[in-house]
């Protein structure tokens, strides 16, 4: 089947990679919306505008199912998108929370973009499941630009975690952060946004031919450095 996957940039490639590894016989179309990256400091209207542009494009190329590989879109405009479109839209948040719940941890630190943290989606959903779970959160604003530019994130991660030395479990509530998962202390349990999605999508999958097309709306040269490392493939430019 034809599966569309999108994010603001390279972050959703972590989700794409997990999908390709698990369900290789599908036609994947990825869009990294680097022209508008980062999404994390944008408001709901802007996030709605960017995501509808991408989804409308996917519909013109006859996509069967869309994976929104972006916590920021899912936490802010997922319900509006579900209302607007009939096409199946799979988000990353429920899958990520499911992975966290399975860990049986009773305290968690959510690290995500400002827009995701401000939406309180993680906090509310986890508390709804179990009000006794202690949910702490930090808006880790600097990380996405550093990741996109392939700069060192270790010093800033250490700074963010300075006041959380007792934390045993962190949810990386941004698909970009899986790319820097190794920069976290190995003794902390880390839940990322791409592992859970595999199970979530299983019931929809119908195998077809294998084909992968990756697009960026931004600078292909910069995007391709990381894209090639993650997927072994290069992206083409897409003007939306
Ligand atoms: N990777 C996205 C997320 O999961 C967007 C990050 C951004 O562009 O700020 O939230």
């Amino acid at each position: 089947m034809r599966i569309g996957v999108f994010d603001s940039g390279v972050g959703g490639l972590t989700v794409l990679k997990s999908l390709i590894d698990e369900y290789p016989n599908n036609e994947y179309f990825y869009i990294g919306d680097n022209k508008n990256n980062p999404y994390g400091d944008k408001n709901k209207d802007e996030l709605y505008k960017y995501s509808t542009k991408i989804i409308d494009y996917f519909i013109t190329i006859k996509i069967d199912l869309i994976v929104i590989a972006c916590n920021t879109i899912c936490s802010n405009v997922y319900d509006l998108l579900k209302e607007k479109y009939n096409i199946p839209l799979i988000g990353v948040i429920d899958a990520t929370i499911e992975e966290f719940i399975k860990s049986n941890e009773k305290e968690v630190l959510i690290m995500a973009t400002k827009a995701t943290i401000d939406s309180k989606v993680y906090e509310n959903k986890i508390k709804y499941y179990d009000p006794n779970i202690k949910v702490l959160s930090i808006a880790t604003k600097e990380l996405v630009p550093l990741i996109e530019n392939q700069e060192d994130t270790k010093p800033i991660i250490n700074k963010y975690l300075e006041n959380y030395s007792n934390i045993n479990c962190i949810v990386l509530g941004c698909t970009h952060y899986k790319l820097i998962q190794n920069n976290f202390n190995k003794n902390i349990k880390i839940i990322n946004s791409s592992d859970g999605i595999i199970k979530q999508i299983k019931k929809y999958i119908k195998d077809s031919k294998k084909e992968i097309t990756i697009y960026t709306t931004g600078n292909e040269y910069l995007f391709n450095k990381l894209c090639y490392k993650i997927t072994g493939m290069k992206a083409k430019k897409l003007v939306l």
Side-chain angles (χ1 to χ4, degrees):
M1 69 193 295
R2 290 164 75 82
I3 302 175
V5 182
F6 75 94
D7 179 38
S8 66
V10 292
L13 291 172
T14 59
V15 176
L16 179 73
K17 179 76 176 62
S18 301
L19 291 169
I20 295 169
D21 288 348
E22 190 70 23
Y23 308 112
N25 297 320
N26 286 281
E27 291 170 80
Y28 290 97
F29 294 83
Y30 181 88
I31 297 177
D33 190 14
N34 292 74
K35 189 175 82 176
N36 297 308
N37 181 287
Y39 279 177
D41 59 6
K42 305 295 190 301
N43 63 37
K44 272 191 202 298
D45 288 347
E46 290 167 305
L47 295 171
Y48 183 73
K49 190 172 91 192
Y50 304 148
S51 48
T52 48
K53 226 178 197 181
I54 293 170
I55 295 171
D56 288 344
Y57 173 75
F58 278 148
I59 289 172
T60 65
I61 60 164
K62 308 235 174 318
I63 290 293
D64 303 306
L65 170 121
I66 295 172
V67 176
I68 306 176
C70 175
N71 288 264
T72 306
I73 295 293
C74 295
S75 57
N76 282 277
V77 293
Y78 185 64
D79 291 344
L80 294 173
L81 297 175
K82 288 282 259 192
E83 243 168 60
K84 180 172 164 71
Y85 296 102
N86 288 325
I87 185 166
L89 297 173
I90 314 295
V92 278
I93 293 187
D94 288 343
T96 312
I97 291 180
E98 231 170 78
E99 289 295 297
F100 163 68
I101 298 295
K102 274 198 315 207
S103 75
N104 281 324
E105 296 284 345
K106 293 293 168 223
E107 184 177 17
V108 62
L109 175 65
I110 313 293
M111 292 178 79
T113 65
K114 184 179 180 314
T116 299
I117 296 299
D118 288 351
S119 77
K120 293 195 181 305
V121 163
Y122 272 99
E123 197 176 328
N124 292 342
K125 287 197 176 210
I126 293 172
K127 287 273 182 200
Y128 181 75
Y129 175 80
D130 180 352
N132 296 319
I133 295 175
K134 187 169 172 195
V135 184
L136 307 164
S137 24
I138 343 176
T140 38
K141 287 191 230 167
E142 285 92 342
L143 287 179
V144 167
L146 290 176
I147 295 167
E148 286 284 340
N149 294 320
Q150 296 194 66
E151 287 172 46
D152 188 12
T153 53
K154 242 185 176 153
I156 191 88
I157 291 174
N158 293 340
K159 194 169 146 264
Y160 281 133
L161 296 180
E162 236 165 40
N163 300 325
Y164 299 93
S165 53
N166 293 329
I167 209 84
N168 294 320
C169 180
I170 297 179
V171 166
L172 301 180
C174 171
T175 49
H176 278 75
Y177 300 173
K178 188 178 177 185
L179 297 167
I180 52 162
Q181 193 162 327
N182 289 340
N183 288 350
F184 288 81
N185 182 327
K186 304 282 172 288
N187 300 321
I188 301 176
K189 181 162 186 57
I190 304 286
I191 315 271
N192 67 53
S193 266
S194 68
D195 294 345
I197 199 82
I198 298 302
K199 282 162 239 156
Q200 198 97 344
I201 202 179
K202 193 174 173 147
K203 64 172 187 260
Y204 296 96
I205 295 289
K206 285 186 205 88
D207 279 1
S208 62
K209 64 173 178 184
K210 181 176 177 175
E211 198 178 305
I212 302 158
T213 310
I214 302 177
Y215 295 114
T216 174
T217 60
N219 177 316
E220 312 99 288
Y221 177 72
L222 188 62
F223 184 86
N224 275 330
K225 284 192 195 166
L226 264 177
C227 181
Y228 192 74
K229 256 194 213 163
I230 300 165
T231 63
M233 294 183 55
K234 290 204 170 158
K236 298 179 224 169
K237 172 99 177 179
L238 179 70
V239 179
L240 275 184

